[in-house]
Amino acid sequence: MKKIALISFIFFFALNTFGQKAKQLDSIQFYLRRSLDSLLENTPNELNIIVLKKILKDIAPKTEEKPSEGWKKLGKFSLFFNQSAFNYDWQGGGTSNIAGNTTMHYEFNYKRKNLTWDTKILADYGLSFLKGESFSRKTNDRIEFNSRLGQRIKQSFWNYSLFINFRSQFAKGYRFSKDPDTDRTIRTEETHFFSPAFIQIGPGLLWKKNDNHHINIAPVTSRMIFVNDQFTTSSDYNDGDYFGVDSGEKSRFEFGGSLSAYTKFNIIKNITMEHILNLYTNYIENPYNVDIDYTLNINLIVNKYISGNFVFQAIYDDNATSGFQIREVIGLGLNYKF
């Protein structure tokens, strides 16, 4: 009996305590609801609607946007100008000049389930005109075509891939020197369209997190170099050895491996940084002598039509020259997207 009485006492005590807590919660909810109603009555309806939309947006379930399938196309055309002028009495030194550079980038990409096909065309051309010279000088000249087919491996970032790359230039390129007798600048032709031209193709593995971060590894890559035989039959061009092509020949075949990497991210708002790295090694000849092509692009978006651009490029190819080739460009110009 004593045990039954003790249990009954504990049960009724707990029930009474719970009832008091419930009354306190009801009281708190009543005052909270009353305060909220008073707050809403004294707040403009427009502000209430904004707050309500924000709350609904925050509590709504997050859904990942799936990339759309089919074709996706994007083109960009840019035109940059630079001009400097000095009068006769200017004592600081300098040569009046005007320069212009135009770029056109166009890409068309296809996606279907686990299959992707990315293609990009790059074209750059620039000229500068110096006062007192009867000819212009190139500041930039490039034609490049890249196409890569990828098949995703299960549900990972890895893909089987097949790529092709073509690189050449639009116009003639010259080596400049001084005439010792007249002290005038003379030029000697060194390159022209399709001389040299590089074609690479090979299967491999592609790691692609998204369009802004990817690495392609192609351990089996074929490479062809095409030149005009006018450069390989003259002793003026490295004793006939021109971009690795033997004397009297028009082409050179190489078999090796390549790696290409690309990353792009925002530094701060309206400023993006882009890194492009291409490596190639020739298994047949000097496999430890790796060709390097690295480009850094920093883009400043002023508005829809005006942007600033900084480009730094470093190339090492011992078939062309014994040291690094360095290019640096700073410009402000006009953009048009299509």
Side-chain angles (χ1 to χ4, degrees):
M1 289 294 291
K2 290 182 179 180
K3 290 183 178 180
I4 295 174
L6 179 62
I7 293 172
S8 300
F9 174 76
I10 293 173
F11 174 77
F12 284 112
F13 177 78
L15 185 63
N16 183 56
T17 303
F18 177 78
Q20 291 178 359
K21 294 291 185 182
K23 290 180 180 179
Q24 291 177 1
L25 290 174
D26 289 342
S27 177
I28 292 173
Q29 291 178 356
F30 171 76
Y31 286 112
L32 182 61
R33 188 182 301 111
R34 188 174 179 181
S35 299
L36 184 60
D37 290 340
S38 176
L39 179 63
L40 292 175
E41 288 177 358
N42 297 322
T43 306
N45 291 334
E46 294 80 2
L47 182 59
N48 291 335
I49 293 173
I50 293 174
V51 174
L52 180 60
K53 287 182 178 179
K54 180 67 169 61
I55 294 173
L56 293 176
K57 182 179 179 180
D58 292 340
I59 65 175
K62 305 297 183 181
T63 58
E64 294 185 0
E65 294 184 3
K66 295 183 178 180
S68 58
E69 295 189 344
W71 287 100
K72 182 180 178 181
K73 303 176 183 179
L74 176 64
K76 181 180 178 181
F77 177 81
S78 301
L79 186 61
F80 299 94
F81 287 103
N82 182 48
Q83 186 265 340
S84 299
F86 308 89
N87 70 350
Y88 178 79
D89 295 320
W90 181 259
Q91 298 298 308
T95 303
S96 298
N97 67 86
I98 184 171
N101 190 79
T102 180
T103 65
M104 194 279 290
H105 295 180
Y106 186 74
E107 58 184 77
F108 44 101
N109 305 320
Y110 179 79
K111 180 177 176 59
R112 179 69 175 177
K113 295 182 179 179
N114 292 331
L115 179 69
T116 59
W117 183 16
D118 300 327
T119 302
K120 182 181 291 186
I121 300 173
L122 308 174
D124 299 326
Y125 191 74
L127 290 174
S128 67
F129 300 88
L130 301 178
K131 184 179 180 180
E133 291 189 351
S134 58
F135 45 77
S136 62
R137 297 180 183 234
K138 287 197 299 184
T139 58
N140 200 10
D141 190 2
R142 176 179 62 157
I143 307 171
E144 186 167 351
F145 173 85
N146 293 287
S147 187
R148 184 183 62 230
L149 189 66
Q151 175 67 40
R152 191 166 65 171
I153 304 173
K154 296 182 178 179
Q155 297 301 316
S156 67
F157 292 138
W158 288 97
N159 302 258
Y160 299 113
S161 67
L162 176 67
F163 87 98
I164 182 171
N165 169 263
F166 167 80
R167 290 184 293 119
S168 189
Q169 61 187 44
F170 287 101
K172 294 179 179 180
Y174 298 94
R175 179 177 68 247
F176 296 91
S177 59
K178 287 286 187 179
D179 188 328
D181 297 327
T182 63
D183 200 35
R184 293 180 61 87
T185 302
I186 58 176
R187 59 182 185 174
T188 304
E189 183 182 343
E190 282 195 321
T191 57
H192 61 213
F193 176 71
F194 216 82
S195 184
F198 302 87
I199 298 178
Q200 290 185 183
I201 184 171
L205 288 174
L206 168 68
W207 180 88
K208 184 176 182 180
K209 185 177 181 180
N210 51 49
D211 290 339
N212 292 332
H213 305 283
H214 49 80
I215 300 174
N216 190 74
I217 305 170
V220 181
T221 301
S222 299
R223 184 184 190 187
M224 290 291 297
I225 304 173
F226 299 95
V227 301
N228 191 300
D229 60 357
Q230 78 177 72
F231 299 109
T232 60
T233 56
S234 172
S235 60
D236 293 335
Y237 304 99
N238 300 323
D239 296 328
D241 184 4
Y242 178 74
F243 285 93
V245 180
D246 293 334
S247 177
E249 300 294 330
K250 295 182 179 181
S251 63
R252 170 187 171 97
F253 173 78
E254 296 181 351
F255 176 74
S258 68
L259 180 147
S260 62
Y262 176 86
T263 183
K264 179 181 178 181
F265 54 89
N266 291 327
I267 303 176
I268 57 176
K269 185 179 180 181
N270 295 334
I271 299 180
T272 62
M273 178 179 287
E274 185 180 49
H275 298 273
I276 306 169
L277 176 65
N278 292 289
L279 306 176
Y280 177 80
T281 179
N282 181 13
Y283 297 150
I284 301 175
E285 181 181 326
N286 298 326
Y288 298 105
N289 199 355
V290 179
D291 294 344
I292 303 171
D293 187 346
Y294 168 75
T295 303
L296 166 67
N297 291 319
I298 299 178
N299 296 302
L300 166 64
I301 301 174
V302 179
N303 56 38
K304 184 178 179 180
Y305 299 105
I306 300 176
S307 69
N309 179 255
F310 170 78
V311 179
F312 172 83
Q313 185 176 15
I315 298 176
Y316 176 78
D317 183 354
D318 63 333
N319 289 327
T321 183
S322 58
F324 272 93
Q325 305 172 61
I326 302 296
R327 180 175 70 95
E328 178 263 323
V329 179
I330 298 177
L332 183 67
L334 304 175
N335 297 322
Y336 175 70
K337 292 185 177 181
F338 56 94

